[in-house]
C-alpha cells in the first residue's frame, strides 16, 4: 500500500511517500524552489516522491493532508468572536484568503493533484489532525514498541501541546493544551521581540542564550506564563498581540522588559542576550515539568518528541539527562515538514490498520530520504555549469578531503540522498576542522554570511562520542546538546572569565574550539557506518590523520538560502562564498582552479533569515 503525505500552506511545505509503512521518500519544497520556508503546494516535492517510488498518482492508495482546515477556520472565528472588536484588521485580512482557498481546501487539493494525474480519484484524499500527524511522525519511525509521545509547537488546529501513548500500531492522544496558550508562540514572541524572524529565528535565540544570564526568567513566570508543577500552563494574553493584531507582542510586553522590540538591523546588546537566556530557561523548565508529568502518568520508559519546540536541542539534552526516560527519540523534521511523514504513517496505521515493523535504529533511514545523483549525472551537470574538477576513486576522494580538512580548509560536501528536515547531516554539508580557533568565525562571516555568535555542531564517530562529550547515546539528527568533557576543556584565565556576551566568542575554550559554545556545550551529531558509510569513512580518515574523530558540520547554504539540493546548487554556492574545496560525489573542485568569471556575490543573494 502506497500513501502520499502532504504538508502545505503555512510554512515548510513538504511531501513524503510511505509504502507498507516504510518511508520511501521525503523532501521539502524549499529545496527545489530555492525559497526558504516555502509554504506553497509542494509540487516539486510530490513529483520527486512519485518518481522515487516509480508510481503514478492515480496508483497511490491515499493522499493525506497533515491537518484539518475546517477546525483551523473554527479557531479563527471563535478567537475573533471572543475578542471582538479587537483584531478586526487581522480578521479582515485573513477571511478573504480563507473564503477563497483554505475553507475549500479539499477542492483546491483535488484540483492541484489532478495536475499530476487527471485520473486521481478525490475519494482517496484524507485529512489528519495536525498534532496526530506530529505524534505519528515521532512514534511510528521510532525504534520503540511502546513510548510516551509529546508534541509541542505554535498551534495546529486548536492544540499547541499534546500528550499521547504509542503501543505497537496504536497511537492515542489523551491530553491537549489549546490555543492561545502555547510554548511555541511564547518563544516566538520573544524571538520577535529580540529582532529575529518568527518561524525561522527561534534557533538564533537558542544560540544567543548562553551569552547572557536568565535575569528575566522570574519576570516571565510572574507576568507572562502561569506554569503549573505538572507542566500545564496559561499565558497572560494582555501582553501578546498574536490573537488580534499583526505582531507577536504589544506595548505592555515592551514595558515589562523596559525596552522596545529590537529592529532587525540594530546591534545585539547584553540586554537581548539576557532576554534570550531567560526565555530559554523558562522553556527548559516547562519542558522538564511536562516530561516528568508524562513519565509519571504513563509509566513509559521511552519518549518521542515532535513539533517545532522539539527542535530546541538544549531542552532535549536536559530531558535526556533528567533521567525520567531511558531513551529519547526525536523526529528530525520535527516542524511542519515532518507532518507530511506523520500524516502518511497515521493513515497507514490508524485508518488502514497496517502493521508496524520496528527498525533497529529507526525508520527514518538517517533522514536521507531526498534526491540523489549518479556519478555520471554529477559530472554532466558540473560540466554544464563550467566547473573544473578532478574525478577520483572513492579512496582517493576520501583521502583528498581529509587532507584538505586537516589543512584547515573549508569544504563543501555533497553526497548521496539529501537530508529531510532542517539539519545537514553529512549529505549536504559544509565541513571544517574543529581544532581551529578561527574556523567558527570564518565560517560564519565568510562562508555562511551570518551572525558571528552562531555556534556550529560537531559530527562525531558514534564509537568515540563518549571520549569527547558528556554523552554516550545516539544523537544522529543533531537534536541533543551535551557538554564537552572536562578533560578536553581549556582552563580560562581570570581575565577571560570576566568577559561578557560576544566578547567571549573568540576565546578558545577546549581542544575543539570551533564546536564548543561559550557555555562548553555542543549540539552533537553521532555518525554511524550503518546510516552514512561514506561520511563515517571521512571522519575515520580525518581521525587517522589528526587523532580527532569529529568535524565541524553545518548546512550547505548561506544565510537565508535553503540547503542545496542539486550539484548546480552546490557549485553556485561554492562560487559565491569563501569555500576552498567542493566535493560532489567523487568529483573534487578547488576554488583556485575555477573560472574567475563564474564567481558571484552570494552575500546578498537571499533575503536574510
Amino acid at each position: 500500500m502506497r500513501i502520499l503525505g502532504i504538508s502545505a500552506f503555512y510554512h515548510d511545505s513538504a511531501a513524503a511517500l510511505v509504502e507498507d509503512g516504510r518511508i520511501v521518500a521525503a523532501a521539502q519544497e524549499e529545496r527545489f524552489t530555492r525559497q526558504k520556508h516555502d509554504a506553497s503546494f509542494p509540487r516539486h516535492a510530490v513529483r520527486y516522491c512519485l518518481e522515487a517510488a516509480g508510481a503514478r498518482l492515480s496508483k497511490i492508495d491515499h493522499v493525506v493532508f497533515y491537518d484539518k482546515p475546517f477546525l483551523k477556520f473554527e479557531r479563527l472565528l471563535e478567537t475573533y468572536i471572543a475578542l471582538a472588536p479587537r483584531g478586526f484588521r487581522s480578521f479582515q485580512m485573513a477571511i478573504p484568503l480563507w473564503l477563497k482557498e483554505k475553507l475549500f481546501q479539499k477542492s483546491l487539493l483535488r484540483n492541484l493533484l489532478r495536475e499530476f494525474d487527471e485520473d486521481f480519484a478525490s475519494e482517496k484524499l484524507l485529512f489528519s489532525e495536525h498534532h496526530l500527524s506530529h505524534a505519528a511522525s515521532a512514534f511510528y519511525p521510532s525504534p520503540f514498541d511502546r513510548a510516551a509521545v509529546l508534541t509541542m509547537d505554535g498551534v495546529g488546529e486548536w492544540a499547541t501541546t499534546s500528550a499521547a501513548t504509542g503501543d505497537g500500531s496504536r497511537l492515542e492522544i489523551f491530553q491537549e493544551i489549546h490555543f492561545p496558550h502555547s510554548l511555541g508562540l511564547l518563544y516566538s514572541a520573544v524571538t520577535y521581540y529580540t529582532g529575529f524572524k518568527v518561524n525561522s529565528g527561534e534557533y538564533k535565540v537558542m544560540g544567543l542564550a548562553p551569552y547572557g544570564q536568565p535575569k528575566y526568567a522570574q519576570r516571565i513566570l510572574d507576568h507572562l506564563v502561569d506554569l503549573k508543577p505538572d507542566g500545564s500552563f496559561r499565558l497572560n494574553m494582555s501582553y501578546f498581540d498574536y490573537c488580534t493584531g499583526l505582531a507577536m507582542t504589544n506595548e505592555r510586553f515592551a514595558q515589562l522588559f523596559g525596552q522596545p522590540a529590537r529592529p532587525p538591523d540594530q546591534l545585539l546588546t547584553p540586554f537581548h542576550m539576557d532576554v534570550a537566556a531567560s526565555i530559554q530557561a523558562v522553556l527548559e523548565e516547562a519542558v522538564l515539568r511536562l516530561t516528568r508529568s508524562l513519565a509519571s502518568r504513563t509509566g513509559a520508559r521511552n519518549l518521542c518528541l515532535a513539533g517545532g519546540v522539539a527542535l530546541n536541542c538544549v531542552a532535549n539534552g536536559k530531558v535526556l539527562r533528567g533521567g525520567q526516560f531511558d531513551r529519547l527519540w526525536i523526529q528530525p523534521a520535527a516542524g511542519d515538514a515532518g507532518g507530511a511523514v506523520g500524516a502518511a504513517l497515521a493513515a497507514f496505521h490508524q485508518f488502514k490498520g497496517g502493521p508496524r515493523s520496528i527498525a533497529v535504529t529507526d525508520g527514518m533511514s538517517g533522514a536521507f530520504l531526498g534526491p540523489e545523483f549518479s556519478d555520471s549525472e554529477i559530472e554532466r551537470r558540473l560540466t554544464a555549469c563550467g566547473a573544473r574538477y578532478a574525478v577520483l576513486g572513492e579512496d582517493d576522494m576520501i583521502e583528498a578531503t581529509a587532507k584538505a580538512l586537516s589543512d584547515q580548509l573549508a569544504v563543501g560536501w555533497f553526497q548521496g540522498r539529501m537530508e529531510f528536515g532542517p539539519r545537514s547531516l553529512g549529505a549536504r554539508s559544509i565541513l571544517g576542522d574543529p581544532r581551529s580557533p578561527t574556523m567558527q568565525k570564518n565560517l560564519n562571516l565568510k562562508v555562511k554570511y551570518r551572525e558571528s555568535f552562531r555556534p556550529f555542531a560537531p559530527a562525531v564517530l558514534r564509537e568515540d562520542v563518549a571520549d569527547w562529550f558528556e554523552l554516550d547515546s545516539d544523537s544522529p539528527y543533531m537534536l541533543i546538546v551535551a557538554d564537552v568533557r572536562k578533560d578536553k576543556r581549556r582552563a580560562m584565565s581570570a581575565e577571560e572569565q570576566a568577559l561578557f556576551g560576544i566578547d567571549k566568542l573568540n576565546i578558545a575554550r577546549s581542544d575543539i574550539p570551533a564546536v564548543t559554545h561559550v557555555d562548553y556545550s555542543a549540539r552533537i551529531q553521532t555518525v554511524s557506518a550503518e546510516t552514512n558509510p561514506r561520511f563515517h569513512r571521512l571522519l575515520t580518515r580525518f581521525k587517522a590523520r589528526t587523532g580527532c574523530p569529529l568535524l565541524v558540520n553545518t548546512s550547505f547554504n548561506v544565510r537565508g538560502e535553503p540547503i542545496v539540493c542539486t550539484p548546480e546548487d552546490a557549485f553556485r554556492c561554492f562560487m559565491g562564498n569563501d569555500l576552498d574545496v567542493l566535493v560532489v560525489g567523487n568529483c573534487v573542485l578547488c576554488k583556485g582552479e575555477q573560472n574567475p568569471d563564474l564567481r558571484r556575490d552570494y552575500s546578498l543573494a537571499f533575503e536574510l533569515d
Side-chain angles (χ1 to χ4, degrees):
M1 177 176 290
R2 288 170 170 169
I3 299 177
L4 180 69
I6 292 175
S7 63
F9 305 133
Y10 295 97
H11 54 89
D12 295 309
S13 294
L17 197 138
V18 168
E19 186 173 293
D20 295 330
R22 181 177 65 90
I23 306 166
V24 172
Q28 292 146 265
E29 186 69 1
E30 67 167 22
R31 307 293 173 84
F32 304 95
T33 64
R34 314 308 298 153
Q35 298 295 316
K36 189 78 168 174
H37 303 299
D38 195 336
S40 63
F41 180 78
R43 287 180 174 85
H44 300 84
V46 168
R47 185 173 297 111
Y48 156 69
C49 287
L50 293 173
E51 290 173 353
R56 290 182 59 196
L57 187 62
S58 59
K59 300 300 181 183
I60 297 295
D61 294 280
H62 288 288
V63 176
V64 194
F65 193 67
Y66 81 129
D67 66 10
K68 294 189 173 181
F70 275 104
L71 290 178
K72 282 200 170 181
F73 186 63
E74 175 188 83
R75 186 213 341 137
L76 179 74
L77 284 178
E78 288 196 23
T79 300
Y80 172 68
I81 292 168
L83 299 172
R86 290 185 297 135
F88 178 72
R89 185 180 171 205
S90 62
F91 178 81
Q92 189 179 37
M93 294 174 66
I95 283 297
L97 180 61
W98 273 95
L99 294 179
K100 181 181 177 183
E101 291 183 0
K102 294 184 179 181
L103 195 56
F104 303 100
Q105 213 157 79
K106 185 171 184 178
S107 297
L108 174 65
L109 288 167
R110 180 193 62 211
N111 293 336
L112 288 167
L113 290 165
R114 283 181 175 165
E115 292 178 9
F116 290 89
D117 193 332
E118 61 183 14
D119 295 327
F120 174 74
S122 60
E123 60 267 21
K124 291 183 176 182
L125 183 58
L126 305 174
F127 293 82
S128 171
E129 287 197 24
H130 188 95
H131 270 229
L132 176 60
S133 296
H134 275 316
S137 79
F139 176 62
Y140 288 126
S142 79
F144 309 139
D145 182 57
R146 295 184 67 252
V149 185
L150 180 62
T151 295
M152 303 167 289
D153 63 2
V155 61
E157 294 90 357
W158 278 104
T160 66
T161 303
S162 64
T165 54
D167 187 352
S169 294
R170 293 190 302 107
L171 178 64
E172 180 183 359
I173 295 175
F174 64 83
Q175 192 172 19
E176 293 181 339
I177 296 173
H178 284 177
F179 181 86
H181 309 291
S182 167
L183 289 177
L185 291 174
L186 172 64
Y187 205 90
S188 291
V190 177
T191 299
Y192 167 84
Y193 177 70
T194 50
F196 301 116
K197 273 190 177 181
V198 172
N199 290 330
S200 69
E202 285 80 1
Y203 58 93
K204 297 184 186 180
V205 175
M206 181 180 68
L208 187 64
Y211 292 95
Q213 300 294 323
K215 295 178 180 179
Y216 305 102
Q218 193 59 49
R219 192 175 304 184
I220 292 171
L221 290 168
D222 289 342
H223 296 276
L224 298 184
V225 56
D226 180 13
L227 180 62
K228 302 300 185 185
D230 66 354
S232 60
F233 57 89
R234 289 182 66 83
L235 302 189
N236 184 343
M237 296 311 299
S238 66
Y239 289 93
F240 302 92
D241 221 16
Y242 58 77
C243 283
T244 59
L246 301 176
M248 293 298 296
T249 64
N250 56 28
E251 183 58 32
R252 192 177 183 201
F253 188 103
Q255 289 173 356
L256 178 66
F257 290 98
Q259 290 194 26
R262 181 181 78 94
D265 57 352
Q266 184 185 90
L267 288 176
L268 288 162
T269 68
F271 167 75
H272 302 111
M273 299 169 198
D274 291 340
V275 171
S278 301
I279 190 59
Q280 180 64 30
V282 169
L283 179 78
E284 290 167 12
E285 182 60 28
V287 172
L288 284 169
R289 292 187 191 184
L290 281 166
T291 53
R292 289 185 197 122
S293 175
L294 192 54
S296 175
R297 182 161 181 177
T298 65
R301 298 307 305 165
N302 302 312
L303 175 65
C304 301
L305 296 177
V309 176
L311 294 172
N312 194 298
C313 49
V314 180
N316 296 342
K318 294 199 172 181
V319 170
L320 181 63
R321 292 189 294 277
Q324 298 297 317
F325 296 92
D326 297 330
R327 297 177 69 192
L328 177 64
W329 193 86
I330 307 151
Q331 165 57 239
D336 272 14
V341 167
L345 290 171
F348 179 74
H349 294 293
Q350 304 272 73
F351 180 67
K352 303 301 292 185
R356 179 171 175 241
S357 60
I358 300 172
V360 175
T361 51
D362 62 44
M364 288 295 294
S365 300
F368 302 114
L369 296 165
E372 63 181 333
F373 302 86
S374 67
D375 290 338
S376 60
E377 192 172 7
I378 288 170
E379 292 175 34
R380 178 180 60 80
R381 287 169 177 255
L382 288 177
T383 299
C385 290
R388 297 168 181 170
Y389 57 88
V391 181
L392 306 179
E394 181 169 323
D395 289 346
D396 290 337
M397 179 274 291
I398 294 287
E399 179 63 34
T401 307
K403 181 180 185 307
L405 290 164
S406 64
D407 289 341
Q408 301 194 356
L409 301 180
V411 175
W413 176 257
F414 183 110
Q415 304 289 335
R417 297 186 73 176
M418 181 178 69
E419 303 93 337
F420 181 58
R423 310 291 185 219
S424 286
L425 300 170
R428 306 288 186 274
S429 291
I430 290 173
L431 306 176
D433 187 341
R435 304 168 303 156
S436 167
T438 60
M439 185 62 66
Q440 190 251 8
K441 183 176 182 180
N442 288 342
L443 285 179
N444 268 329
L445 299 180
K446 296 183 179 181
V447 176
K448 303 280 285 187
Y449 301 123
R450 68 184 197 180
E451 302 95 340
S452 62
F453 70 83
R454 303 265 289 274
F456 287 110
V460 58
L461 293 171
R462 172 63 183 91
E463 54 268 32
D464 290 333
V465 64
D467 295 334
W468 290 78
F469 304 98
E470 293 178 1
L471 178 75
D472 192 12
S473 61
D474 294 334
S475 178
Y477 301 122
M478 212 180 280
L479 285 171
I480 293 174
V481 162
D483 288 341
V484 175
R485 278 176 56 107
K486 288 183 172 60
D487 60 317
K488 303 296 183 184
R489 299 181 190 179
R490 174 183 169 272
M492 309 293 288
S493 67
E495 293 80 7
E496 290 170 340
Q497 289 175 346
L499 294 174
F500 184 79
I502 296 294
D503 291 334
K504 298 177 180 179
L505 182 65
N506 296 322
I507 304 299
R509 308 177 74 80
S510 75
D511 295 344
I512 43 172
V515 294
T516 304
H517 209 6
V518 293
D519 58 354
Y520 292 105
S521 68
R523 177 165 48 96
I524 295 164
Q525 178 202 357
T526 55
V527 180
S528 70
E530 291 74 28
T531 54
N532 196 343
R534 186 170 279 195
F535 193 36
H536 189 274
R537 285 195 66 196
L538 177 62
L539 283 160
T540 301
R541 187 66 199 127
F542 184 77
K543 178 186 177 182
R545 293 185 68 93
T546 66
C548 179
L550 57 142
L551 290 168
V552 178
N553 181 14
T554 187
S555 55
F556 197 158
N557 62 345
V558 300
R559 181 183 179 190
E561 179 194 22
I563 294 170
V564 301
C565 176
T566 66
E568 293 92 335
D569 297 335
F571 183 70
R572 281 191 294 268
C573 190
F574 173 63
M575 294 302 292
N577 61 26
D578 282 353
L579 278 174
D580 301 299
V581 176
L582 173 62
V583 183
V584 186
N586 287 331
C587 297
V588 179
L589 296 76
C590 297
K591 180 64 66 62
E593 297 173 0
Q594 305 306 311
N595 180 351
D597 294 339
L598 297 177
R599 292 216 59 155
R600 51 191 303 215
D601 182 3
Y602 229 53
S603 61
L604 300 175
F606 295 90
E607 181 183 356
L608 299 184
D609 58 3

